[in-house]
Amino acid sequence: MSTVRSLFLMAAMAVSAGTPASAVVRYTITDLGVIDGAQQLLALGLSGNGTVSGTLRGNGPDRGFVWTAKGGLRTTGFPGIGAQGGVSNDGTMVGSAAFPDQPGVLYPAMATAAGSLQRLPGYTGDAANRGGVARNISSRNGFVTGALDAGTKPGEFRRTAFRFSPQTGMQELALLTDLPNFSGNALSIGYAVNSRGDVAGASNIDGNLRNHAVKWIGDGVTLLDDGGPSSNSIAWSISENGLVAGSVRLTGQGNQDWATFWGSGTTPTFIPRPSNATYSQAFGVNSGGFVVGEDNTAFIWHADFGRLALNTLISPGSGWNLLTATAINDAGQIVGFGFKGGAVRSYFLNPLDGFGVSTVPEPASWAMLIAGFGLVGAAMRRRKDRRVGRKMAASAIVGRIGA
């Protein structure tokens, strides 16, 4: 019997025997702290080795930060850089920045751990001054994705997803119009990229506000929804082995967003959510198929055990109310933000028992554990915290996905 399976069986037996659910703690939690006079610190990105990045808000323009367990917090020193949520194992962050030769244009850019600011090469010719944004960087191999401004007429807004690496240079990614049944001017953006260069994101047709979740592998583009006129979906995350998480807006469910998981194919799995939730989003996925996101509270989901609220998996004496989980890596580490002491703070969760990519407890073990949680019940959060927290989380997400 594996060590991980044994730990979960022991935890399940303890709950069945009457041990309070609060004693079954799956994660340690670390407060990322505050820096640079910021009023809010929002963790958005997580690399494979546990490096965290995100956005500082307040006391000036939004700016990026990076956190490591050994080095603590540091800022990028450049407004916009790192604020998009992407970070690599070596601490390089991505975002957008202005440069002296074109001070009025924001370009896709990255800031290295050594403190240098670099502009990614973009379009040439008519669109050379159109700029763009970098949204994410892979943990390894230096792949970056985002969108390049491709409009060539005054006042025109059009963006094309890209993939960049030092080895391959800048590559414009395939458009929806390269697929059957699509015509017109396609817009696209990459939101996540793995260390193989696979990209997840969204695309639409100019004049139609409905997004279509897509992934790019090599030179091709794969549509993840049905492509119909009522489809509206986004792919937020892609794992190192190509699993995708995001959301689908279901027209038959009051146009509500549902957290969605796509495995190796294009068939969606809609992640269950609490009956009182009016929306859900899946923001992170790792190679083991563990998905994290929010649905009025931070959650983790796996096909083998279903959905669990992360608040039930940390110590009840921590003082935290976890609102959203924004990323998970292959070590099972999770980042996000929530309330602590009445303020919005960011957290880092580290699994106590190898709860990660390759060790999925057997369904029977999870069934006993979840039953124990149900018998004891989870602590209710204050309605005020829920309302304010949801507003805060939505604001951060809009900041993350805004073009």
Side-chain angles (χ1 to χ4, degrees):
M1 182 180 294
S2 71
T3 302
V4 172
R5 181 184 171 196
S6 300
L7 286 169
F8 276 94
L9 285 173
M10 287 188 289
M13 288 187 289
V15 172
S16 300
T19 302
S22 59
V24 187
V25 177
R26 297 274 69 85
Y27 297 95
T28 60
I29 186 166
T30 300
D31 186 338
L32 300 192
V34 293
I35 193 174
D36 199 26
Q39 297 171 340
Q40 298 165 7
L41 185 143
L42 306 178
L44 300 174
L46 176 66
S47 75
N49 67 355
T51 302
V52 182
S53 70
T55 299
L56 297 171
R57 288 184 174 172
N59 193 30
D62 286 2
R63 54 222 183 269
F65 74 85
V66 66
W67 175 92
T68 63
K70 291 184 178 180
L73 275 173
R74 68 172 175 84
T75 65
T76 62
F78 306 104
I81 288 294
Q84 303 298 334
V87 65
S88 65
N89 283 345
D90 66 5
T92 298
M93 292 169 285
V94 298
S96 57
F99 290 82
D101 59 338
Q102 291 284 350
V105 179
L106 291 176
Y107 288 94
M110 57 186 180
T112 68
S116 67
L117 180 65
Q118 302 174 12
R119 173 169 49 190
L120 301 184
Y123 283 94
T124 59
D126 291 340
N129 64 342
R130 297 286 175 167
V133 61
R135 301 303 307 229
N136 219 313
I137 184 171
S138 60
S139 291
R140 297 175 287 106
N141 300 329
F143 286 105
V144 179
T145 193
L148 296 169
D149 292 353
T152 57
K153 298 178 182 179
E156 183 183 44
F157 177 82
R158 187 167 302 145
R159 285 192 155 176
T160 302
F162 72 83
R163 177 196 296 118
F164 168 85
S165 78
Q167 294 75 30
T168 62
M170 182 66 73
Q171 299 172 304
E172 299 173 44
L173 298 177
L175 302 172
L176 275 181
T177 46
D178 295 322
L179 299 173
N181 304 321
F182 286 95
S183 61
N185 297 317
L187 294 81
S188 59
I189 185 169
Y191 286 121
V193 61
N194 64 22
S195 297
R196 304 186 308 198
D198 305 332
V199 174
S203 184
N204 62 27
I205 301 299
D206 197 8
N208 185 340
L209 297 180
R210 297 185 184 277
N211 292 309
H212 300 280
V214 293
K215 65 178 177 181
W216 292 271
I217 298 178
D219 295 329
V221 57
T222 300
L223 184 66
L224 296 177
D225 65 22
D226 61 14
S230 62
S231 300
N232 202 346
S233 59
I234 291 179
W236 289 122
S237 179
I238 189 165
S239 68
E240 294 285 35
N241 61 353
L243 307 180
V244 176
S247 68
V248 173
R249 183 162 296 177
L250 300 178
T251 55
Q253 299 288 334
N255 287 324
Q256 297 176 357
D257 291 333
W258 279 78
T260 306
F261 168 75
W262 290 272
S264 57
T266 60
T267 302
T269 297
F270 300 119
I271 296 173
R273 67 191 191 196
S275 58
N276 65 338
T278 58
Y279 73 102
S280 59
Q281 292 276 355
F283 293 125
V285 60
N286 72 7
S287 297
F290 291 84
V291 177
V292 296
E294 70 167 279
D295 53 13
N296 286 357
T297 188
F299 73 83
I300 185 169
W301 173 90
H302 192 278
D304 283 354
F305 62 79
R307 173 204 171 277
L308 292 173
L310 285 172
N311 280 305
T312 66
L313 304 179
I314 61 174
S315 171
S318 67
W320 279 92
N321 175 11
L322 309 184
L323 301 176
T324 187
T326 53
I328 181 171
N329 64 15
D330 281 358
Q333 297 165 331
I334 299 170
V335 296
F337 52 92
F339 277 112
K340 183 183 181 185
V344 176
R345 305 292 288 267
S346 286
Y347 64 83
F348 176 88
L349 298 183
N350 201 50
L352 290 171
D353 41 31
F355 191 55
V357 55
S358 60
T359 51
V360 182
E362 292 188 359
S365 302
W366 273 107
M368 286 191 291
L369 185 60
I370 295 168
F373 281 126
L375 289 172
V376 178
M380 295 296 291
R381 299 185 310 277
R382 294 180 182 176
R383 291 182 178 270
K384 178 180 178 182
D385 276 3
R386 182 179 298 168
R387 290 194 301 268
V388 176
R390 181 176 172 188
K391 181 178 179 181
M392 186 67 246
S395 173
I397 294 160
V398 168
R400 184 183 182 197
I401 71 176

